[in-house]
Amino acid sequence: MHNPIDQTSSNTQTKHAKPVSRRDFLKLTGLSASGLVLGSMLPISLPAWAHTGDHSNNALNLFVSVEHNGQINIVCHRSEMGQGIRTGIPQIVADELCAAWEDVNVVQGLANEEYGSQNTDGSRSIRRFYTTMREMGAMARTMLEQAAADKWGVPLAAVYAKDSFVINKESGKKISFGSLADAAAKVSPPATDSLTFKSKKDFKYIGKSMQIVDLPNIVTGNTVFGQDVKLEGMLYASIERNPVVGSKVEGFDKKAAMSTTGVVDVYQMPEQPVPVLFNPMNGVAVIANNTWAALQGRKALAVKWGKSEHDSHDSAAYLGELNERIVTKGKAIRSAGDAYKALENASKTVAATYTMPYLVHAPMEPPAATAVVKDGKCEVWACTQTPQSTQQNVAGALGIEKDNVTVHVTLLGGGFGRKSKPDFSVEAALLAKHTGKPVKVVWSREDDIRQGYYHAISSQHFAAGMNENNSVDAWIQRTAFPSISWTFTGTTDEPSDGELSLGFGDVPFAVNNMSCETHKAPAHIRIGWVRSVSNIQHAFAQGSFVDELADAANMPPQKMWHQLIGADRKVDPTKEGFKYGNYGEPLDNFPIDTKRLKHVLDDVVAKSGADKPTAKGEAWGISAHRSFVSYVAVATKVRVKDGKVSVLEMHSSIDAGTVVNPDRVRSQQEGSMIFGLSLALMGEITVKDGAVVQSNYSDYQVLRMSQSPKIETYIVASDDLPGGVGEPGTPPVAASLANAIFRASGKRIRDLPVNKHFKV
């Protein structure tokens, strides 16, 4: 049943697991523990956009404990926002532990740097911890088996674990994990390289669709999201924030706000420094006995705002400037051969410019945080993707040690990257300190849309040259967009290598002459990561341009994709001068594998019927993309009639390596396609005079049920290491949609969103 696991295939170098003190377990979970408690160690994992620096960390970051009563506590140190991580992590541990699922209790870990990274972003939670979670389960099982073997006076090989019991092979006697917990705690942990692991055929939970542990409470309304937190004597705050980054409060009508029934205080927030980082924006908070009073008092503030260097920012004019710049030669970050000479000598050339507007997350639950400050300590309840960053930033704002900040992670009503920025938690902490009472900061939908962190506006230009056989021999691509790094530096004016690693510098095509180039693009609003980050614009442009080449060559799109991708091989962009980050993973373990990319494309075409004839006015569009070390292809079928686009079907095929919970993978793919379709059809944030124009779902629309198509998802069976799942489904959507629209109507959409060109 148990076989050695190949440790060389792990994507991170794991450290030895070891027993953990009851005190440490309490510190990191808020719960006491008895019996057997184990912790493990991993190098710290970094966000997808930061791949440099020392990654080593010798701190404990994952726990499993067995209680006397047989309860098995498995700590989830990541944030649950519907992706099922509070189920996926326990599935892996419980499988190798040979535990009965009904005995498993999931414990939400508190914010603590001793976990390594708790950032629930970058689609990393399973791929970074899969091997270590298996080790944790196997080690705990081995110690329990050894304790039973010692009790019976038999060799370790004479016993085996099953369903939370250790069984004697000869006598058939069995003893529960709970009864063995104390004895197992005294057993010396076995060396990692001595552990045995289940064969794939023996998996009981890994690879099985299992109901998420929070589902019963979610459907009965017994869960706590950020907006649900209520404390005794709590006050509510609503903040009027500056509409333009950098503008400061010059005056406001405190008396008018205070005269509103229920308002107890008005407080001017501390001035936001530069760079903006995760600091609260400049503004004035209205604190009241209830949310309604806070909102009404806020309307009476009449804040007068000062000037800002970003007052003149106009997104339409800015995009026009990028478009003028993008058609000129840029700074090469990856090159092969002589792309310009090959383009000049080509028999046929094709060129196009693609644009995408600013975008915002707009999760169903806007940001919300509640804080209490007392006796030099702070306690925060927040719907956060990054509890450690919340802890660090709150501590910094209050001027206290981070160990004096406790962060409770609630469930998240969507995140998409917005809730990895802890500015809203810092606001709650500052107001709790000011009032001396618990304070909940409530962001309205308007706040969420107008004062968020935005996906960068972008312009991209592609040019290709083909020979007489319609084979592409020259490929030039350029990109320009304000960088996320500006949010952290205040000066960066061009994309970082980390951002360029997201679908641009890692282009997998077998073209002899290639030049990948960038242009400068200064930032004027807060730029942040949105689901799949820079892959959004890069996959749209690349996938659309492949389709344009297919049309120019009078070739089926699937054939053009195959021609460009070329022979089965592993692509290494670093050999052509690019500082490739590969989502923080080593290329040896997670190579750019062209065979896998072609396979998902062929799989989705075959299963969707995207290569079959359609009715008049209807057509299929396809696209494929590798991101977060997974491979996804999307096929979209549309009808274009009377100037209206109707999306009829969407199919996706994903190769994410080893899959822990297929049900969650399908759900994530479905959510990714809906998210991507919303952005492509209607997503647009515009800026006038430095301020965001949109304010709610009325003018920043998300997909309605009536607009949602039939969705099918196919999962490629694989024994490869687990890849990302939460984000890879989004990037190919926009191109597949735009390609379908072109083939149904003859109109090529290069400037998103679609509703600027058609009714949707």
PDB file of all heavy atoms in Angstrom, residues 111-114 378 388 390-396 399-407:
ATOM      1  N   ALA A 111      -2.703  34.682  11.899  1.00  0.00           N
ATOM      2  CA  ALA A 111      -1.576  35.296  11.205  1.00  0.00           C
ATOM      3  C   ALA A 111      -0.310  35.097  12.021  1.00  0.00           C
ATOM      4  O   ALA A 111      -0.262  35.443  13.190  1.00  0.00           O
ATOM      5  CB  ALA A 111      -1.838  36.789  10.996  1.00  0.00           C
ATOM      6  N   ASN A 112       0.705  34.522  11.408  1.00  0.00           N
ATOM      7  CA  ASN A 112       1.980  34.345  12.090  1.00  0.00           C
ATOM      8  C   ASN A 112       3.046  34.010  11.059  1.00  0.00           C
ATOM      9  O   ASN A 112       2.861  33.117  10.239  1.00  0.00           O
ATOM     10  CB  ASN A 112       1.882  33.234  13.141  1.00  0.00           C
ATOM     11  CG  ASN A 112       3.010  33.309  14.151  1.00  0.00           C
ATOM     12  OD1 ASN A 112       4.178  33.269  13.802  1.00  0.00           O
ATOM     13  ND2 ASN A 112       2.642  33.411  15.426  1.00  0.00           N
ATOM     14  N   GLU A 113       4.172  34.713  11.130  1.00  0.00           N
ATOM     15  CA  GLU A 113       5.242  34.491  10.165  1.00  0.00           C
ATOM     16  C   GLU A 113       5.839  33.096  10.273  1.00  0.00           C
ATOM     17  O   GLU A 113       6.522  32.620   9.365  1.00  0.00           O
ATOM     18  CB  GLU A 113       6.346  35.533  10.341  1.00  0.00           C
ATOM     19  CG  GLU A 113       7.076  35.459  11.664  1.00  0.00           C
ATOM     20  CD  GLU A 113       8.147  36.526  11.808  1.00  0.00           C
ATOM     21  OE1 GLU A 113       8.253  37.386  10.917  1.00  0.00           O
ATOM     22  OE2 GLU A 113       8.867  36.492  12.818  1.00  0.00           O
ATOM     23  N   GLU A 114       5.570  32.407  11.379  1.00  0.00           N
ATOM     24  CA  GLU A 114       6.109  31.064  11.535  1.00  0.00           C
ATOM     25  C   GLU A 114       5.463  30.051  10.597  1.00  0.00           C
ATOM     26  O   GLU A 114       5.906  28.907  10.498  1.00  0.00           O
ATOM     27  CB  GLU A 114       5.968  30.612  12.995  1.00  0.00           C
ATOM     28  CG  GLU A 114       6.847  31.417  13.946  1.00  0.00           C
ATOM     29  CD  GLU A 114       6.817  30.878  15.359  1.00  0.00           C
ATOM     30  OE1 GLU A 114       6.698  29.658  15.531  1.00  0.00           O
ATOM     31  OE2 GLU A 114       6.909  31.690  16.290  1.00  0.00           O
ATOM     32  N   CYS A 378      -3.638  44.675  19.602  1.00  0.00           N
ATOM     33  CA  CYS A 378      -4.722  44.850  18.646  1.00  0.00           C
ATOM     34  C   CYS A 378      -5.208  43.494  18.168  1.00  0.00           C
ATOM     35  O   CYS A 378      -4.415  42.575  17.944  1.00  0.00           O
ATOM     36  CB  CYS A 378      -4.248  45.678  17.441  1.00  0.00           C
ATOM     37  SG  CYS A 378      -5.515  45.925  16.168  1.00  0.00           S
ATOM     38  N   GLN A 388      -0.650  37.769   7.276  1.00  0.00           N
ATOM     39  CA  GLN A 388       0.642  38.252   7.777  1.00  0.00           C
ATOM     40  C   GLN A 388       0.892  39.702   7.370  1.00  0.00           C
ATOM     41  O   GLN A 388       1.406  40.497   8.158  1.00  0.00           O
ATOM     42  CB  GLN A 388       1.772  37.367   7.254  1.00  0.00           C
ATOM     43  CG  GLN A 388       1.770  35.985   7.872  1.00  0.00           C
ATOM     44  CD  GLN A 388       2.652  35.029   7.103  1.00  0.00           C
ATOM     45  OE1 GLN A 388       2.886  35.196   5.915  1.00  0.00           O
ATOM     46  NE2 GLN A 388       3.143  34.006   7.777  1.00  0.00           N
ATOM     47  N   THR A 390      -1.435  41.832   6.824  1.00  0.00           N
ATOM     48  CA  THR A 390      -2.355  42.580   7.681  1.00  0.00           C
ATOM     49  C   THR A 390      -1.720  42.817   9.043  1.00  0.00           C
ATOM     50  O   THR A 390      -1.722  43.940   9.566  1.00  0.00           O
ATOM     51  CB  THR A 390      -3.676  41.803   7.845  1.00  0.00           C
ATOM     52  OG1 THR A 390      -4.284  41.641   6.562  1.00  0.00           O
ATOM     53  CG2 THR A 390      -4.625  42.536   8.777  1.00  0.00           C
ATOM     54  N   GLN A 391      -1.160  41.780   9.615  1.00  0.00           N
ATOM     55  CA  GLN A 391      -0.511  41.889  10.924  1.00  0.00           C
ATOM     56  C   GLN A 391       0.624  42.905  10.892  1.00  0.00           C
ATOM     57  O   GLN A 391       0.735  43.780  11.763  1.00  0.00           O
ATOM     58  CB  GLN A 391       0.016  40.515  11.334  1.00  0.00           C
ATOM     59  CG  GLN A 391       0.660  40.460  12.709  1.00  0.00           C
ATOM     60  CD  GLN A 391       1.263  39.096  12.992  1.00  0.00           C
ATOM     61  OE1 GLN A 391       1.936  38.512  12.136  1.00  0.00           O
ATOM     62  NE2 GLN A 391       1.018  38.568  14.187  1.00  0.00           N
ATOM     63  N   GLN A 392       1.454  42.824   9.882  1.00  0.00           N
ATOM     64  CA  GLN A 392       2.612  43.703   9.767  1.00  0.00           C
ATOM     65  C   GLN A 392       2.209  45.153   9.564  1.00  0.00           C
ATOM     66  O   GLN A 392       2.749  46.071  10.204  1.00  0.00           O
ATOM     67  CB  GLN A 392       3.488  43.239   8.603  1.00  0.00           C
ATOM     68  CG  GLN A 392       4.727  44.088   8.380  1.00  0.00           C
ATOM     69  CD  GLN A 392       5.561  43.575   7.217  1.00  0.00           C
ATOM     70  OE1 GLN A 392       5.356  42.474   6.732  1.00  0.00           O
ATOM     71  NE2 GLN A 392       6.496  44.383   6.762  1.00  0.00           N
ATOM     72  N   ASN A 393       1.240  45.394   8.675  1.00  0.00           N
ATOM     73  CA  ASN A 393       0.846  46.763   8.375  1.00  0.00           C
ATOM     74  C   ASN A 393       0.054  47.400   9.510  1.00  0.00           C
ATOM     75  O   ASN A 393       0.196  48.595   9.773  1.00  0.00           O
ATOM     76  CB  ASN A 393       0.045  46.804   7.067  1.00  0.00           C
ATOM     77  CG  ASN A 393       0.931  46.738   5.843  1.00  0.00           C
ATOM     78  OD1 ASN A 393       1.407  47.743   5.345  1.00  0.00           O
ATOM     79  ND2 ASN A 393       1.161  45.522   5.348  1.00  0.00           N
ATOM     80  N   VAL A 394      -0.769  46.609  10.179  1.00  0.00           N
ATOM     81  CA  VAL A 394      -1.496  47.130  11.343  1.00  0.00           C
ATOM     82  C   VAL A 394      -0.509  47.493  12.449  1.00  0.00           C
ATOM     83  O   VAL A 394      -0.613  48.565  13.068  1.00  0.00           O
ATOM     84  CB  VAL A 394      -2.533  46.107  11.834  1.00  0.00           C
ATOM     85  CG1 VAL A 394      -3.042  46.481  13.232  1.00  0.00           C
ATOM     86  CG2 VAL A 394      -3.703  46.027  10.861  1.00  0.00           C
ATOM     87  N   ALA A 395       0.446  46.621  12.699  1.00  0.00           N
ATOM     88  CA  ALA A 395       1.452  46.897  13.729  1.00  0.00           C
ATOM     89  C   ALA A 395       2.221  48.169  13.409  1.00  0.00           C
ATOM     90  O   ALA A 395       2.472  49.009  14.291  1.00  0.00           O
ATOM     91  CB  ALA A 395       2.409  45.715  13.856  1.00  0.00           C
ATOM     92  N   GLY A 396       2.596  48.335  12.151  1.00  0.00           N
ATOM     93  CA  GLY A 396       3.330  49.527  11.752  1.00  0.00           C
ATOM     94  C   GLY A 396       2.528  50.794  11.938  1.00  0.00           C
ATOM     95  O   GLY A 396       3.053  51.816  12.406  1.00  0.00           O
ATOM     96  N   GLY A 399       2.264  51.468  15.659  1.00  0.00           N
ATOM     97  CA  GLY A 399       3.531  51.625  16.367  1.00  0.00           C
ATOM     98  C   GLY A 399       3.747  50.599  17.446  1.00  0.00           C
ATOM     99  O   GLY A 399       4.327  50.890  18.497  1.00  0.00           O
ATOM    100  N   ILE A 400       3.279  49.357  17.195  1.00  0.00           N
ATOM    101  CA  ILE A 400       3.459  48.281  18.167  1.00  0.00           C
ATOM    102  C   ILE A 400       4.146  47.103  17.489  1.00  0.00           C
ATOM    103  O   ILE A 400       4.257  47.044  16.265  1.00  0.00           O
ATOM    104  CB  ILE A 400       2.113  47.824  18.780  1.00  0.00           C
ATOM    105  CG1 ILE A 400       1.171  47.285  17.694  1.00  0.00           C
ATOM    106  CG2 ILE A 400       1.452  48.979  19.532  1.00  0.00           C
ATOM    107  CD1 ILE A 400      -0.160  46.760  18.219  1.00  0.00           C
ATOM    108  N   GLU A 401       4.603  46.132  18.279  1.00  0.00           N
ATOM    109  CA  GLU A 401       5.227  44.947  17.714  1.00  0.00           C
ATOM    110  C   GLU A 401       4.162  44.073  17.047  1.00  0.00           C
ATOM    111  O   GLU A 401       3.030  43.969  17.538  1.00  0.00           O
ATOM    112  CB  GLU A 401       5.934  44.141  18.811  1.00  0.00           C
ATOM    113  CG  GLU A 401       7.116  44.867  19.450  1.00  0.00           C
ATOM    114  CD  GLU A 401       8.234  45.108  18.449  1.00  0.00           C
ATOM    115  OE1 GLU A 401       8.471  44.215  17.596  1.00  0.00           O
ATOM    116  OE2 GLU A 401       8.864  46.185  18.518  1.00  0.00           O
ATOM    117  N   LYS A 402       4.544  43.431  15.944  1.00  0.00           N
ATOM    118  CA  LYS A 402       3.556  42.636  15.217  1.00  0.00           C
ATOM    119  C   LYS A 402       3.054  41.444  16.033  1.00  0.00           C
ATOM    120  O   LYS A 402       1.925  40.974  15.814  1.00  0.00           O
ATOM    121  CB  LYS A 402       4.108  42.170  13.876  1.00  0.00           C
ATOM    122  CG  LYS A 402       5.316  41.280  13.939  1.00  0.00           C
ATOM    123  CD  LYS A 402       5.822  40.993  12.527  1.00  0.00           C
ATOM    124  CE  LYS A 402       7.099  40.182  12.559  1.00  0.00           C
ATOM    125  NZ  LYS A 402       7.648  40.001  11.196  1.00  0.00           N
ATOM    126  N   ASP A 403       3.861  40.974  16.989  1.00  0.00           N
ATOM    127  CA  ASP A 403       3.400  39.885  17.844  1.00  0.00           C
ATOM    128  C   ASP A 403       2.236  40.311  18.734  1.00  0.00           C
ATOM    129  O   ASP A 403       1.544  39.461  19.308  1.00  0.00           O
ATOM    130  CB  ASP A 403       4.540  39.377  18.721  1.00  0.00           C
ATOM    131  CG  ASP A 403       5.571  38.584  17.922  1.00  0.00           C
ATOM    132  OD1 ASP A 403       5.265  38.210  16.772  1.00  0.00           O
ATOM    133  OD2 ASP A 403       6.680  38.348  18.444  1.00  0.00           O
ATOM    134  N   ASN A 404       2.026  41.623  18.841  1.00  0.00           N
ATOM    135  CA  ASN A 404       0.898  42.144  19.624  1.00  0.00           C
ATOM    136  C   ASN A 404      -0.345  42.362  18.777  1.00  0.00           C
ATOM    137  O   ASN A 404      -1.321  42.950  19.242  1.00  0.00           O
ATOM    138  CB  ASN A 404       1.293  43.454  20.301  1.00  0.00           C
ATOM    139  CG  ASN A 404       2.281  43.237  21.436  1.00  0.00           C
ATOM    140  OD1 ASN A 404       2.245  42.212  22.113  1.00  0.00           O
ATOM    141  ND2 ASN A 404       3.178  44.194  21.643  1.00  0.00           N
ATOM    142  N   VAL A 405      -0.304  41.905  17.524  1.00  0.00           N
ATOM    143  CA  VAL A 405      -1.466  41.995  16.636  1.00  0.00           C
ATOM    144  C   VAL A 405      -1.943  40.586  16.314  1.00  0.00           C
ATOM    145  O   VAL A 405      -1.194  39.766  15.785  1.00  0.00           O
ATOM    146  CB  VAL A 405      -1.125  42.739  15.330  1.00  0.00           C
ATOM    147  CG1 VAL A 405      -2.352  42.776  14.410  1.00  0.00           C
ATOM    148  CG2 VAL A 405      -0.646  44.155  15.628  1.00  0.00           C
ATOM    149  N   THR A 406      -3.182  40.288  16.649  1.00  0.00           N
ATOM    150  CA  THR A 406      -3.800  39.001  16.333  1.00  0.00           C
ATOM    151  C   THR A 406      -4.768  39.205  15.174  1.00  0.00           C
ATOM    152  O   THR A 406      -5.638  40.082  15.237  1.00  0.00           O
ATOM    153  CB  THR A 406      -4.560  38.435  17.538  1.00  0.00           C
ATOM    154  OG1 THR A 406      -3.642  38.253  18.623  1.00  0.00           O
ATOM    155  CG2 THR A 406      -5.210  37.107  17.198  1.00  0.00           C
ATOM    156  N   VAL A 407      -4.612  38.415  14.128  1.00  0.00           N
ATOM    157  CA  VAL A 407      -5.477  38.545  12.956  1.00  0.00           C
ATOM    158  C   VAL A 407      -6.306  37.279  12.790  1.00  0.00           C
ATOM    159  O   VAL A 407      -5.757  36.183  12.614  1.00  0.00           O
ATOM    160  CB  VAL A 407      -4.655  38.806  11.677  1.00  0.00           C
ATOM    161  CG1 VAL A 407      -5.583  38.909  10.467  1.00  0.00           C
ATOM    162  CG2 VAL A 407      -3.825  40.076  11.821  1.00  0.00           C
TER     163      VAL A 407
END
